Amino acid sequence: MPLSSELTLASSPRAAADARRWVSDVFERLERDDLVECAELGVSELVANAVLHATAPFKVRVRGTVSHPRIEVIDGSTSPPVPPVPLAGDDLDLLLTFGRGLSMVAQCATAWGATIESDSKIVWFEPAAQMSDEGGAEWVIDVHDQHAPEPISDTAVEVRLLGLDVPLYSSLARQYHELRRELRLLSLSHQSDYPLAGDLTSMFANFERQFPDAFSEQLRAAERDSRPRVDLIFPMVREAGPIFVTMTEMFDVADAFCRAERLLSMARTPAQRALQNWLLTELVQQLGGASAQPWDAQGHTKPSTSQVG
């Protein structure tokens, strides 16, 4: 079982125990035995809270880095959890109040918070070496700001991505979204330890701004219609070319970090990498005046007489 895997939990009273055993095993494999006690306590509370107050599916996974591992509990609800009201360390009411679980998580954590996705939420915490006698770590809000696309000039190039594999691209988009969130959280919680995470977060935001709304709209329509392939046609400024060259290299760097477990996230699969390299190469070449070359399943292009512009 790779460290970047996740565990799907049953909607039953045994879910917390299953999560506790699984997390303990992962942390022992990470050689972070010093964090096991708080990891077990925190994940038990989060899973119990999810099963009681949220909806399936329920999952638990470990992300972050070996130095700063993070436990995430995912459920099918988009309702945000309510952070506990700070209480005195010796307040016995803490053991009696509704919301005790999140108070316990705060005391077991060096950082914690939540991310609300379109169809789910992720509540996460970084386990501490020992439980705090005070109120615990503060709540961290993880917000992915949507950046407006760069304005399209009159000199923009019409780009054609021909025969794009829609299911494969959708899986790549999910992998990218998780990597993007991972870097954003590291930048948010540990900027001094991982300054590169902040730099890459800014680079990713600039990368995303280069894609006009027409790109996303055509993809969403293809996904909604369950189309296996789609031809995308959209305008793009020539100045974006160097950004895509740089990002090709940055995605390979991120994969290397994941494979070396410097990031406990999933690297791209060979098929995802091939598709992304084809896409970025097409953007660079077409912005430079080349003709569009369709994608094929082997990860290379087929000759095409289609012309750009």
Side-chain angles (χ1 to χ4, degrees):
M1 177 184 65
L3 290 173
S4 54
S5 66
E6 63 185 18
L7 176 67
T8 298
L9 300 168
S11 302
S12 71
R14 75 170 187 272
D18 290 344
R20 189 166 57 247
R21 285 191 295 269
W22 184 84
V23 163
S24 176
D25 179 63
V26 171
F27 273 70
E28 288 173 0
R29 293 176 61 193
L30 289 173
E31 299 183 352
R32 295 306 311 266
D33 300 62
D34 55 316
L35 304 179
V36 167
E37 183 176 359
C38 282
E40 290 180 336
L41 284 171
V43 78
S44 294
E45 297 295 343
L46 284 187
V47 170
N49 194 63
V51 172
L52 284 172
H53 304 295
T55 56
F58 304 108
K59 298 179 181 180
V60 61
R61 64 189 182 192
V62 175
R63 294 291 188 266
T65 68
V66 173
S67 298
H68 298 94
R70 181 176 63 255
I71 297 171
E72 301 183 345
V73 174
I74 302 99
D75 64 58
S77 169
T78 57
S79 298
V82 179
V85 176
L87 297 172
D90 59 352
D91 193 335
L92 295 180
D93 287 342
L94 178 64
L95 300 178
L96 304 175
T97 57
F98 178 78
R100 163 186 171 271
L102 293 183
S103 296
M104 289 280 288
V105 173
Q107 289 182 285
C108 291
T110 58
W112 73 293
T115 303
I116 307 301
E117 304 283 3
S118 61
D119 58 355
S120 61
K121 72 171 174 288
I122 304 169
V123 186
W124 57 270
F125 75 104
E126 296 182 11
Q130 60 183 13
M131 193 169 178
S132 171
D133 293 330
E134 304 299 328
E138 294 185 3
W139 177 260
V140 176
I141 302 299
D142 169 30
V143 178
H144 183 187
D145 295 327
Q146 296 292 335
H147 301 280
E150 295 285 3
I152 299 298
S153 68
D154 294 337
T155 60
V157 172
E158 183 181 77
V159 173
R160 300 170 183 263
L161 296 177
L162 305 179
L164 179 72
D165 185 316
V166 177
L168 180 57
Y169 183 85
S170 296
S171 73
L172 173 63
R174 290 191 293 271
Q175 188 275 343
Y176 171 83
H177 177 78
E178 182 172 333
L179 176 63
R180 175 84 157 79
R181 176 176 174 272
E182 184 62 57
L183 294 170
R184 188 170 68 254
L185 278 177
L186 287 176
S187 176
L188 181 66
S189 301
H190 303 289
Q191 176 61 44
S192 60
D193 294 313
Y194 307 104
L196 182 59
D199 296 338
L200 287 174
T201 296
S202 297
M203 291 176 65
F204 279 29
N206 191 32
F207 168 71
E208 292 165 15
R209 282 195 295 267
Q210 307 311 311
F211 292 86
D213 290 337
F215 175 83
S216 301
E217 291 167 358
Q218 292 173 66
L219 268 173
R220 284 195 295 268
E223 289 174 329
R224 185 171 58 249
D225 297 339
S226 300
R227 298 172 60 186
R229 297 289 185 112
V230 67
D231 293 344
L232 303 180
I233 303 174
F234 53 91
M236 184 168 278
V237 296
R238 294 183 185 277
E239 292 78 11
I243 296 173
F244 300 136
V245 173
T246 300
M247 289 306 299
T248 301
E249 300 171 355
M250 290 302 99
F251 287 131
D252 283 340
V253 169
D255 281 347
F257 283 171
C258 294
R259 283 191 288 267
E261 294 177 358
R262 294 174 64 183
L263 284 175
L264 303 178
S265 298
M266 297 291 287
R268 293 173 298 177
T269 66
Q272 289 171 343
R273 182 178 184 273
L275 180 68
Q276 191 161 52
N277 283 350
W278 165 80
L279 187 152
L280 294 174
T281 298
E282 280 297 292
L283 294 177
V284 171
Q285 292 183 349
Q286 291 187 41
L287 291 175
S291 60
Q293 301 297 315
W295 162 259
D296 73 16
Q298 283 69 46
H300 52 77
T301 56
K302 296 182 291 188
S304 172
T305 58
S306 300
Q307 297 296 318
V308 175

